[in-house]
Amino acid sequence: MRINGDRLWDMLMDMAKIGPGIAGGNNRQTLTDADAEGRSLFKTWCDKAGMTVGVDRMGTMFATRAGTDPNALPVYVGSHLDTQPTGGKYDGVLGVLAALEVVRTMNDLGIKTKHPIVVTNWANEEGARFAPAMLASGVFAGMHTLDYAYGRKDPEGKTYGDELKRIGWLGDEEVGARKMHAYFEYHIEQGPILEAENKTIGVVTHCQGLWWLEFTLTGKEAHTGSTPMAMRVNAGLAMSRIVEMVQSVAMENQPGAVAGVGQAFFSPNSRNVLPGKVVFTVDLRTPDKEKLDRMRAKIETEGKKIAEALGVGCSVEAIGHFEPVTFDPKLVTSVRNAAEKLGYSHMNIISGAGHDACWAAKVAPATMVMCPCVGGLSHNEAEEISKEWAAAGADVLFHAVVETAEIVA
Ligand code: HGY
Ligand code: MN
Ligand code: MN
């Protein structure tokens, strides 16, 4: 039994047309009009597959295929349709559409399962527009309150709550009321390991933990031409020294640790004005909990010392965090057995990127399936996978999900 790889690929290409990027990828950021359009297309496909679609108060979409036992908790299978501003066509999207393809294949084959199947599109996984990442699954798992989430602001000061209402995807379901028998997420690796090892399937045993540390540096706005160097209170210089220090802390903790800065805002952001304020986020990750917290402490302490030495004000706020995750051994085994049965090469892997599965694992047995991506590239419009890789992971997902949902006919 295999899924229909052509149909999956066609869905991926159709979804990729919505919120196109400028270099072949996607810019379908959460709660934008493009996101709303992608949600509508996904719902149309779910309706056609005979599923009933529910939406919760964070905007997460749940498409249900009935099981034979109405009291059996469903097997949830999902990921996210929102993208980075310069995102690829497969990050998140592959997992949602492969989950739908699993249901369409079950329909084709007339498979009945004891447990219902719920295909899930988690809202705001990326955290690019509204930090933190995995916001909706975080509320679902009880890690954030709904009020906190609704108040999160994008760089233009728009709130999550207002934007969700504006695009018309504010659902009525209480967030987290749904209970899961199990949760599966299929995702591209977003790193170079599977391709380099020539393995088709990643059997994901763990996910590394994360801190997002938002630094706010306060300097003194002054003329870049007429202010002598000794008189400067230079927040931009402080930021550059802190970024250098972050790099050193990560390199001192090799192997198995990463840290860097992807976003910075200068105010007033004028070429000939020294910045009065610089705000940037340090993204720090490692699978080792002790190391994660030790590195966080060092980066905060050293960052404050660097700022102080330059007379620059410094405050740090943790705006994102999750501990390293161990996925459910029984479900991990079901993924490995499926890859074996289907004859796909496979290896155990720790997820470098965060996923909604990390929060789902707090409330249910959860695991992931991964496929390679070309050059390990992701969060880049040139993100690419092969059609064969896409289908292989979806085949493994299909077998693991159907086994867990217990075929009855
Ligand atoms: O940041 C992450 O790991 C995910 O891509 N949102
Ligand atoms: Mn993702
Ligand atoms: Mn991503």
Side-chain angles (χ1 to χ4, degrees), residues 79-80 82 90-93 125-126 185 187-188 190 353-356 378-379:
S79 195
H80 61 92
D82 68 308
Y90 312 99
D91 171 3
V93 186
E125 187 283 338
E126 290 294 356
E185 181 159 357
H187 207 288
I188 61 170
Q190 299 184 290
H355 303 284
D356 295 305
S378 184
H379 284 192

PDB file of all heavy atoms in Angstrom, residues 79-80 82 90-93 125-126 185 187-188 190 353-356 378-379, ligand 2:
ATOM      1  N   SER A  79       0.984  19.537  10.537  1.00  0.00           N
ATOM      2  CA  SER A  79       2.125  20.442  10.504  1.00  0.00           C
ATOM      3  C   SER A  79       1.563  21.843  10.247  1.00  0.00           C
ATOM      4  O   SER A  79       0.510  22.160  10.821  1.00  0.00           O
ATOM      5  CB  SER A  79       3.121  20.013   9.417  1.00  0.00           C
ATOM      6  OG  SER A  79       4.370  20.647   9.586  1.00  0.00           O
ATOM      7  N   HIS A  80       2.196  22.654   9.404  1.00  0.00           N
ATOM      8  CA  HIS A  80       1.733  24.057   9.283  1.00  0.00           C
ATOM      9  C   HIS A  80       1.808  24.550   7.843  1.00  0.00           C
ATOM     10  O   HIS A  80       2.691  24.155   7.084  1.00  0.00           O
ATOM     11  CB  HIS A  80       2.590  24.960  10.174  1.00  0.00           C
ATOM     12  CG  HIS A  80       4.053  24.956   9.812  1.00  0.00           C
ATOM     13  ND1 HIS A  80       4.630  25.859   8.937  1.00  0.00           N
ATOM     14  CD2 HIS A  80       5.060  24.128  10.194  1.00  0.00           C
ATOM     15  CE1 HIS A  80       5.917  25.595   8.808  1.00  0.00           C
ATOM     16  NE2 HIS A  80       6.213  24.544   9.558  1.00  0.00           N
ATOM     17  N   ASP A  82       1.693  27.994   7.223  1.00  0.00           N
ATOM     18  CA  ASP A  82       2.306  29.325   7.189  1.00  0.00           C
ATOM     19  C   ASP A  82       3.793  29.199   6.871  1.00  0.00           C
ATOM     20  O   ASP A  82       4.421  28.197   7.191  1.00  0.00           O
ATOM     21  CB  ASP A  82       2.099  30.072   8.518  1.00  0.00           C
ATOM     22  CG  ASP A  82       2.865  29.454   9.697  1.00  0.00           C
ATOM     23  OD1 ASP A  82       2.730  28.227   9.911  1.00  0.00           O
ATOM     24  OD2 ASP A  82       3.587  30.209  10.386  1.00  0.00           O
ATOM     25  N   TYR A  90       8.039  23.712   0.955  1.00  0.00           N
ATOM     26  CA  TYR A  90       7.823  22.401   1.593  1.00  0.00           C
ATOM     27  C   TYR A  90       7.836  22.436   3.130  1.00  0.00           C
ATOM     28  O   TYR A  90       7.188  21.623   3.767  1.00  0.00           O
ATOM     29  CB  TYR A  90       8.902  21.420   1.099  1.00  0.00           C
ATOM     30  CG  TYR A  90       9.059  21.429  -0.395  1.00  0.00           C
ATOM     31  CD1 TYR A  90      10.086  22.147  -1.007  1.00  0.00           C
ATOM     32  CD2 TYR A  90       8.134  20.794  -1.214  1.00  0.00           C
ATOM     33  CE1 TYR A  90      10.203  22.195  -2.394  1.00  0.00           C
ATOM     34  CE2 TYR A  90       8.235  20.848  -2.603  1.00  0.00           C
ATOM     35  CZ  TYR A  90       9.273  21.556  -3.184  1.00  0.00           C
ATOM     36  OH  TYR A  90       9.383  21.620  -4.554  1.00  0.00           O
ATOM     37  N   ASP A  91       8.530  23.372   3.735  1.00  0.00           N
ATOM     38  CA  ASP A  91       8.595  23.508   5.202  1.00  0.00           C
ATOM     39  C   ASP A  91       7.173  23.636   5.747  1.00  0.00           C
ATOM     40  O   ASP A  91       6.507  24.628   5.490  1.00  0.00           O
ATOM     41  CB  ASP A  91       9.439  24.747   5.538  1.00  0.00           C
ATOM     42  CG  ASP A  91       9.394  25.107   7.015  1.00  0.00           C
ATOM     43  OD1 ASP A  91       8.759  24.370   7.810  1.00  0.00           O
ATOM     44  OD2 ASP A  91      10.001  26.128   7.373  1.00  0.00           O
ATOM     45  N   GLY A  92       6.734  22.604   6.471  1.00  0.00           N
ATOM     46  CA  GLY A  92       5.385  22.628   7.057  1.00  0.00           C
ATOM     47  C   GLY A  92       4.327  22.136   6.089  1.00  0.00           C
ATOM     48  O   GLY A  92       3.536  21.230   6.392  1.00  0.00           O
ATOM     49  N   VAL A  93       4.358  22.679   4.890  1.00  0.00           N
ATOM     50  CA  VAL A  93       3.298  22.383   3.892  1.00  0.00           C
ATOM     51  C   VAL A  93       3.298  20.900   3.539  1.00  0.00           C
ATOM     52  O   VAL A  93       2.247  20.259   3.445  1.00  0.00           O
ATOM     53  CB  VAL A  93       3.508  23.239   2.621  1.00  0.00           C
ATOM     54  CG1 VAL A  93       2.364  23.059   1.641  1.00  0.00           C
ATOM     55  CG2 VAL A  93       3.694  24.704   2.982  1.00  0.00           C
ATOM     56  N   GLU A 125       3.089  28.515  13.083  1.00  0.00           N
ATOM     57  CA  GLU A 125       4.211  27.691  13.554  1.00  0.00           C
ATOM     58  C   GLU A 125       5.492  28.509  13.476  1.00  0.00           C
ATOM     59  O   GLU A 125       6.358  28.420  14.340  1.00  0.00           O
ATOM     60  CB  GLU A 125       4.325  26.443  12.683  1.00  0.00           C
ATOM     61  CG  GLU A 125       5.346  25.435  13.182  1.00  0.00           C
ATOM     62  CD  GLU A 125       6.779  25.821  12.872  1.00  0.00           C
ATOM     63  OE1 GLU A 125       7.009  26.617  11.946  1.00  0.00           O
ATOM     64  OE2 GLU A 125       7.686  25.337  13.570  1.00  0.00           O
ATOM     65  N   GLU A 126       5.642  29.326  12.414  1.00  0.00           N
ATOM     66  CA  GLU A 126       6.954  29.916  12.147  1.00  0.00           C
ATOM     67  C   GLU A 126       7.371  30.973  13.190  1.00  0.00           C
ATOM     68  O   GLU A 126       8.555  31.140  13.459  1.00  0.00           O
ATOM     69  CB  GLU A 126       6.987  30.535  10.741  1.00  0.00           C
ATOM     70  CG  GLU A 126       6.965  29.520   9.616  1.00  0.00           C
ATOM     71  CD  GLU A 126       8.222  28.669   9.568  1.00  0.00           C
ATOM     72  OE1 GLU A 126       9.142  28.916  10.358  1.00  0.00           O
ATOM     73  OE2 GLU A 126       8.277  27.746   8.768  1.00  0.00           O
ATOM     74  N   GLU A 185       3.955  13.974  12.851  1.00  0.00           N
ATOM     75  CA  GLU A 185       4.262  15.119  11.968  1.00  0.00           C
ATOM     76  C   GLU A 185       5.352  14.712  10.985  1.00  0.00           C
ATOM     77  O   GLU A 185       6.413  14.218  11.394  1.00  0.00           O
ATOM     78  CB  GLU A 185       4.723  16.337  12.782  1.00  0.00           C
ATOM     79  CG  GLU A 185       5.020  17.558  11.907  1.00  0.00           C
ATOM     80  CD  GLU A 185       4.990  18.880  12.643  1.00  0.00           C
ATOM     81  OE1 GLU A 185       4.674  18.914  13.850  1.00  0.00           O
ATOM     82  OE2 GLU A 185       5.283  19.913  12.012  1.00  0.00           O
ATOM     83  N   HIS A 187       7.942  16.076   8.115  1.00  0.00           N
ATOM     84  CA  HIS A 187       8.585  17.373   7.835  1.00  0.00           C
ATOM     85  C   HIS A 187       9.890  17.162   7.079  1.00  0.00           C
ATOM     86  O   HIS A 187      10.572  16.145   7.264  1.00  0.00           O
ATOM     87  CB  HIS A 187       8.868  18.093   9.161  1.00  0.00           C
ATOM     88  CG  HIS A 187       8.919  19.582   9.066  1.00  0.00           C
ATOM     89  ND1 HIS A 187       9.952  20.253   8.462  1.00  0.00           N
ATOM     90  CD2 HIS A 187       8.045  20.536   9.477  1.00  0.00           C
ATOM     91  CE1 HIS A 187       9.717  21.565   8.529  1.00  0.00           C
ATOM     92  NE2 HIS A 187       8.567  21.765   9.139  1.00  0.00           N
ATOM     93  N   ILE A 188      10.275  18.106   6.254  1.00  0.00           N
ATOM     94  CA  ILE A 188      11.614  18.037   5.639  1.00  0.00           C
ATOM     95  C   ILE A 188      12.627  18.228   6.762  1.00  0.00           C
ATOM     96  O   ILE A 188      12.332  18.872   7.768  1.00  0.00           O
ATOM     97  CB  ILE A 188      11.808  19.118   4.544  1.00  0.00           C
ATOM     98  CG1 ILE A 188      11.672  20.525   5.094  1.00  0.00           C
ATOM     99  CG2 ILE A 188      10.856  18.883   3.382  1.00  0.00           C
ATOM    100  CD1 ILE A 188      12.079  21.618   4.123  1.00  0.00           C
ATOM    101  N   GLN A 190      15.378  19.976   6.957  1.00  0.00           N
ATOM    102  CA  GLN A 190      15.866  21.363   7.086  1.00  0.00           C
ATOM    103  C   GLN A 190      17.335  21.390   7.491  1.00  0.00           C
ATOM    104  O   GLN A 190      17.836  22.421   7.953  1.00  0.00           O
ATOM    105  CB  GLN A 190      15.012  22.170   8.088  1.00  0.00           C
ATOM    106  CG  GLN A 190      13.551  22.282   7.668  1.00  0.00           C
ATOM    107  CD  GLN A 190      12.746  23.143   8.597  1.00  0.00           C
ATOM    108  OE1 GLN A 190      12.483  22.766   9.731  1.00  0.00           O
ATOM    109  NE2 GLN A 190      12.326  24.306   8.118  1.00  0.00           N
ATOM    110  N   ALA A 353      15.400  21.721  13.855  1.00  0.00           N
ATOM    111  CA  ALA A 353      14.379  22.779  13.885  1.00  0.00           C
ATOM    112  C   ALA A 353      13.296  22.413  14.896  1.00  0.00           C
ATOM    113  O   ALA A 353      13.117  21.248  15.237  1.00  0.00           O
ATOM    114  CB  ALA A 353      13.756  22.935  12.491  1.00  0.00           C
ATOM    115  N   GLY A 354      12.574  23.422  15.357  1.00  0.00           N
ATOM    116  CA  GLY A 354      11.436  23.199  16.241  1.00  0.00           C
ATOM    117  C   GLY A 354      10.202  22.898  15.409  1.00  0.00           C
ATOM    118  O   GLY A 354      10.131  23.280  14.237  1.00  0.00           O
ATOM    119  N   HIS A 355       9.268  22.183  16.014  1.00  0.00           N
ATOM    120  CA  HIS A 355       8.036  21.824  15.296  1.00  0.00           C
ATOM    121  C   HIS A 355       6.857  21.784  16.257  1.00  0.00           C
ATOM    122  O   HIS A 355       7.043  21.646  17.478  1.00  0.00           O
ATOM    123  CB  HIS A 355       8.186  20.448  14.639  1.00  0.00           C
ATOM    124  CG  HIS A 355       9.356  20.366  13.707  1.00  0.00           C
ATOM    125  ND1 HIS A 355       9.346  20.926  12.449  1.00  0.00           N
ATOM    126  CD2 HIS A 355      10.592  19.820  13.867  1.00  0.00           C
ATOM    127  CE1 HIS A 355      10.517  20.716  11.872  1.00  0.00           C
ATOM    128  NE2 HIS A 355      11.292  20.065  12.708  1.00  0.00           N
ATOM    129  N   ASP A 356       5.642  21.836  15.707  1.00  0.00           N
ATOM    130  CA  ASP A 356       4.455  21.735  16.561  1.00  0.00           C
ATOM    131  C   ASP A 356       4.445  20.413  17.333  1.00  0.00           C
ATOM    132  O   ASP A 356       3.879  20.325  18.428  1.00  0.00           O
ATOM    133  CB  ASP A 356       3.186  21.882  15.703  1.00  0.00           C
ATOM    134  CG  ASP A 356       3.094  23.279  15.094  1.00  0.00           C
ATOM    135  OD1 ASP A 356       3.155  24.266  15.871  1.00  0.00           O
ATOM    136  OD2 ASP A 356       2.973  23.397  13.852  1.00  0.00           O
ATOM    137  N   SER A 378      16.960  25.258   4.051  1.00  0.00           N
ATOM    138  CA  SER A 378      15.563  25.586   4.375  1.00  0.00           C
ATOM    139  C   SER A 378      15.529  27.009   4.913  1.00  0.00           C
ATOM    140  O   SER A 378      16.571  27.622   5.161  1.00  0.00           O
ATOM    141  CB  SER A 378      15.018  24.600   5.409  1.00  0.00           C
ATOM    142  OG  SER A 378      13.641  24.870   5.659  1.00  0.00           O
ATOM    143  N   HIS A 379      14.277  27.551   5.069  1.00  0.00           N
ATOM    144  CA  HIS A 379      14.135  28.972   5.415  1.00  0.00           C
ATOM    145  C   HIS A 379      14.904  29.794   4.378  1.00  0.00           C
ATOM    146  O   HIS A 379      15.602  30.749   4.691  1.00  0.00           O
ATOM    147  CB  HIS A 379      14.600  29.273   6.851  1.00  0.00           C
ATOM    148  CG  HIS A 379      13.598  28.814   7.871  1.00  0.00           C
ATOM    149  ND1 HIS A 379      13.623  29.160   9.194  1.00  0.00           N
ATOM    150  CD2 HIS A 379      12.532  28.006   7.741  1.00  0.00           C
ATOM    151  CE1 HIS A 379      12.617  28.620   9.831  1.00  0.00           C
ATOM    152  NE2 HIS A 379      11.937  27.880   8.980  1.00  0.00           N
TER     153      HIS A 379
HETATM  154 MN    MN B   2       8.304  23.915   9.813  1.00  0.00          MN
END
